Amino acid sequence: MANDFIAPDGHPRCQWCGGAAEFLPYHDKEWGFPVEDDQRLFEKLCLESFQSGLSWRTILNKRENFRAAFHHFDFHQVAYFGEDDVQRLLQDAGIIRHRGKIEATINNAQRAKEMVEQEGSLAAFFWRYEPIELATPQTQTTSPESIALAKELKKRGWKFFGPTTAFAFMQAMGLLNDHSLTCVTREQVEQARQTFQRPA
């Protein structure tokens, strides 16, 4: 397709890969591959919330700093952060110093703990929203499932997580294969999804 990005290896990728050098390894190794690890799911939820109003490149470049600041997004630890931790994070130039988003991350860690108690795991909850019918790849920024997911999370007390953020989370964590039809990584993701054991 004319819109493909041709990578240095000569193979086509999703167009957004051409936006920055660091996008290519993220695209090839992470984006769209199915995830069931609760800590990785929580990390992505938090980073997507921090991205709100910013570029993913900004977040990706700061990801290791975020991991260090938030105990690698172990929500069992983050749930106990207090005002001293908020102040520490507001002084951390390596992350996005936004009080609302920092406090939302702590709140969401508490909600994640509750969800594990209620549902067994974060993965068991989120994978219930795997779409059945898919639109043409990369033609939408929300879906009925992402709208339903955001609504349910809001009902459960989660913050900074609307339908667009939910859809980006679902794309990245493999709940759908949204790689472009001619992207060389699409088939790898499809194979991974076919062998993936959906969490019960």
Side-chain angles (χ1 to χ4, degrees):
M1 288 174 64
N3 288 336
D4 282 337
F5 166 68
I6 305 302
D9 63 7
H11 294 294
R13 304 294 203 287
C14 298
Q15 186 182 25
W16 60 265
C17 282
E22 54 267 43
F23 286 171
L24 188 58
Y26 171 72
H27 168 276
D28 284 0
K29 297 175 183 176
E30 295 184 57
W31 195 75
F33 288 90
V35 173
E36 65 172 335
D37 178 81
D38 277 5
Q39 204 159 313
R40 282 191 61 199
L41 291 167
F42 182 69
E43 174 184 291
K44 186 61 176 172
L45 282 162
C46 296
L47 294 180
E48 287 290 348
S49 296
F50 270 103
Q51 186 196 344
S52 180
L54 302 169
S55 72
W56 176 241
R57 184 181 189 184
T58 298
I59 302 302
L60 191 59
N61 285 332
K62 292 177 178 285
R63 184 164 63 167
E64 289 305 321
N65 298 332
F66 274 109
R67 286 171 172 168
F70 287 97
H71 294 288
H72 289 266
F73 292 96
D74 179 347
F75 51 86
H76 296 286
Q77 294 191 56
V78 177
Y80 291 103
F81 279 17
E83 182 57 30
D84 287 347
D85 295 290
V86 173
Q87 291 301 322
R88 168 180 62 82
L89 294 164
L90 286 170
Q91 302 303 315
D92 189 341
I95 66 168
I96 305 300
R97 294 179 286 182
H98 184 292
R99 176 180 280 274
K101 293 177 180 179
I102 291 168
E103 291 178 342
T105 299
I106 298 167
N107 169 79
N108 292 348
Q110 295 163 357
R111 304 293 78 77
K113 281 188 65 184
E114 293 169 357
M115 185 176 284
V116 169
E117 292 169 6
Q118 295 162 357
E119 311 291 345
S121 68
L122 300 187
F125 171 80
F126 286 112
W127 275 91
R128 288 185 209 146
Y129 291 85
E130 181 179 9
I132 298 171
E133 295 184 14
L134 299 177
T136 302
Q138 297 179 41
T139 59
Q140 58 192 61
T141 56
T142 64
S143 69
E145 292 83 7
S146 80
I147 293 168
L149 173 56
K151 183 177 180 180
E152 180 61 24
L153 288 180
K154 183 177 181 180
K155 181 178 164 186
R156 290 173 182 242
W158 294 65
K159 296 180 179 177
F160 263 98
F161 200 76
T164 302
T165 301
F167 189 74
F169 166 80
M170 293 165 72
Q171 286 175 303
M173 297 289 95
L175 276 76
L176 66 155
N177 185 354
D178 216 32
H179 284 270
S180 66
L181 296 175
T182 51
C183 173
V184 71
T185 309
R186 181 178 177 82
E187 182 58 32
Q188 297 171 30
V189 166
E190 199 54 47
Q191 290 175 7
R193 283 177 44 78
Q194 286 175 11
T195 58
F196 180 68
Q197 290 291 110
R198 272 66 176 167

